[in-house]
Amino acid sequence: MSRATDGSKAFLALEDGTIFRGTSVGAEGVAFGEAVFTTAMTGYQETVTDPSFAEQLVCFTAPMVGNYGVADGRSESAGAHAKAVLMREARGPGWTGWLAERGLVGITGIDTRSLVLRLREAGAMRAAVVSDESALSVDDALTQVREQPSMEGQALVAQVSTPAPYVFAENGSPHVAVVDYGAKQSIMRRLADAGASVSVVPHATPADDLARFDGVVLSNGPGDPEPLVEETEIVRDLLGRRPILGICLGHQLLGIATGHRTYKLPFGHRGANHPVLERRTGRVLVTSQNHGFAVEASDSAEATHVSLYDGTVEGFDFAELRARSVQFHPEAGPGPHDAWPILERFVEELRV
């Protein structure tokens, strides 16, 4: 099946053989990865610089992308982590030039509505984005796509984590360690704005080292949590020794460390409008999310938040262990501010 634009040379090839054609507006080349979509209407720069999008080809459902340009302060990391971007209409030259400078393949003119419907029906798929069909044919691209590994089973945090500890903010109190599984800059900024001093440490930092801090944040990150055996053991060893706050992948690791199970979602939760029920109060939070794996539904008392889309666990509170977590992004970079107080409360409680 093909949605073609006459004369176009760029295309997206899904592993099921579906082809979407458009026009190249980013870097030249070929990008392989998992095709996913995000429903956020803003935050395109934050999205592609979020390490949680590593090894993914991101389709934006917003009809126009790039219309408000780019700015250094909006990036969530030092570089781009998404492999390619797919858009109905890309605006430039600021945005499209930014993509090219960072080696991101980008296609405009894609029928994003049809693509999203396909991914919702069949699930996120392995795919290739090709900027010029003369460099790689559709048939050859499909052959190579089907040789790529599935996202399920991939441990990706080592490729995005900091190789050495560093201080993000000093002279504050308490002193918080952020375990970098692919941490967004907004998390560290929000902690620092709340008055904490913030150190960022590698993904496999031992529990004994983490226990020297006043509190520990387990960050977001890409890939499947299940193969992260070492990271899970570290979390398990740290439980009860220092207060813990998990975010996104950090939430999943805390879940596994406490006996819960995770699984791969059909097409993930990615966007800035996801409703989450806070069980204790009955309040519904509109949240920012970006994850392809989730914690299985649970009626246990420690499961404090649930997704109103599919019932997956969106939050934990293990009071006796001083450990809590959320699947969504309280730093909201970008996104709604319903969950903003979570990071501030964590810092304030460490002062008590």
Side-chain angles (χ1 to χ4, degrees):
M1 175 164 51
S2 175
R3 278 87 172 174
T5 300
D6 290 342
S8 60
K9 296 182 179 180
F11 66 90
L12 164 72
L14 300 178
E15 66 176 285
D16 68 354
T18 307
I19 307 300
F20 293 86
R21 296 188 179 275
T23 301
S24 174
V25 291
E28 296 181 358
V30 180
F32 294 95
E34 181 184 47
V36 299
F37 65 89
T38 175
T39 59
M41 297 295 289
T42 62
Y44 46 83
Q45 183 179 343
E46 292 91 334
T47 294
V48 298
T49 56
D50 179 352
S52 293
F53 277 106
E55 302 302 323
Q56 291 181 325
L57 316 174
V58 183
C59 171
F60 291 98
T61 61
M64 184 182 295
V65 180
N67 49 315
Y68 59 83
V70 294
D72 290 342
R74 299 191 191 118
S75 292
E76 289 292 347
S77 65
H81 290 279
K83 300 292 289 293
V85 294
L86 305 160
M87 300 161 285
R88 179 66 186 91
E89 182 179 348
R91 301 306 295 251
W95 166 239
T96 54
W98 189 93
L99 292 173
E101 289 169 4
R102 284 154 183 79
L104 275 166
V105 181
I107 300 181
T108 188
I110 290 282
D111 183 351
T112 53
R113 292 175 297 180
S114 294
L115 173 56
V116 169
L117 287 172
R118 187 69 193 136
L119 295 178
R120 281 180 59 87
E121 292 166 357
M125 287 185 250
R126 296 171 297 175
V129 178
V130 180
S131 66
D132 188 344
E133 189 173 355
S134 64
L136 183 68
S137 70
V138 169
D139 289 343
D140 288 343
L142 284 171
T143 298
Q144 293 184 43
V145 163
R146 291 161 182 160
E147 294 172 349
Q148 302 299 310
S150 167
M151 185 62 72
E152 193 165 11
Q154 287 202 57
L156 301 178
V157 299
Q159 75 183 47
V160 298
S161 179
T162 179
Y166 66 90
V167 176
F168 181 87
E170 54 187 351
N171 301 324
S173 178
H175 193 180
V176 176
V178 176
V179 183
D180 182 12
Y181 305 128
K184 295 171 63 180
Q185 292 289 307
S186 291
I187 295 175
M188 282 80 84
R189 285 196 292 265
R190 291 287 310 288
L191 291 168
D193 289 345
S197 58
V198 181
S199 293
V200 183
V201 300
H203 65 102
T205 299
D208 288 345
D209 293 345
L210 295 175
R212 299 190 180 105
F213 294 88
D214 298 316
V216 178
V217 172
L218 310 175
S219 83
N220 62 293
D224 188 344
E226 190 170 334
L228 301 179
V229 176
E230 181 180 9
E231 291 82 356
T232 301
E233 285 301 320
I234 290 169
V235 173
R236 189 176 289 120
D237 190 15
L238 186 65
L239 287 172
R241 299 171 66 181
R242 284 294 181 270
I244 295 172
L245 174 64
I247 297 174
C248 198
L249 179 62
H251 161 77
Q252 297 163 13
L253 293 178
L254 179 63
I256 295 174
T258 53
H260 292 265
R261 295 175 60 88
T262 61
Y263 70 104
K264 192 176 190 306
L265 293 164
F267 49 82
H269 297 167
R270 299 177 181 88
N273 57 352
H274 289 248
V276 170
L277 175 66
E278 187 177 56
R279 280 177 162 169
R280 180 180 61 83
T281 64
R283 182 187 179 201
V284 175
L285 307 177
V286 180
T287 67
S288 180
Q289 303 207 9
N290 173 22
H291 57 102
F293 294 81
V295 177
E296 288 183 352
S298 171
D299 292 327
S300 61
E302 65 261 27
T304 57
H305 297 73
V306 296
S307 169
L308 290 180
Y309 283 154
D310 54 19
T312 52
V313 177
E314 291 273 350
F316 283 122
D317 187 357
F318 300 92
E320 71 285 0
L321 298 173
R322 296 185 294 171
R324 70 184 68 161
S325 62
V326 289
Q327 179 64 79
F328 47 90
H329 285 263
E331 78 284 355
H337 296 172
D338 289 14
W340 261 30
I342 290 173
L343 285 167
E344 281 76 6
R345 282 201 299 263
F346 180 69
V347 172
E348 188 60 34
E349 289 169 4
L350 293 178
R351 296 193 178 105
V352 176

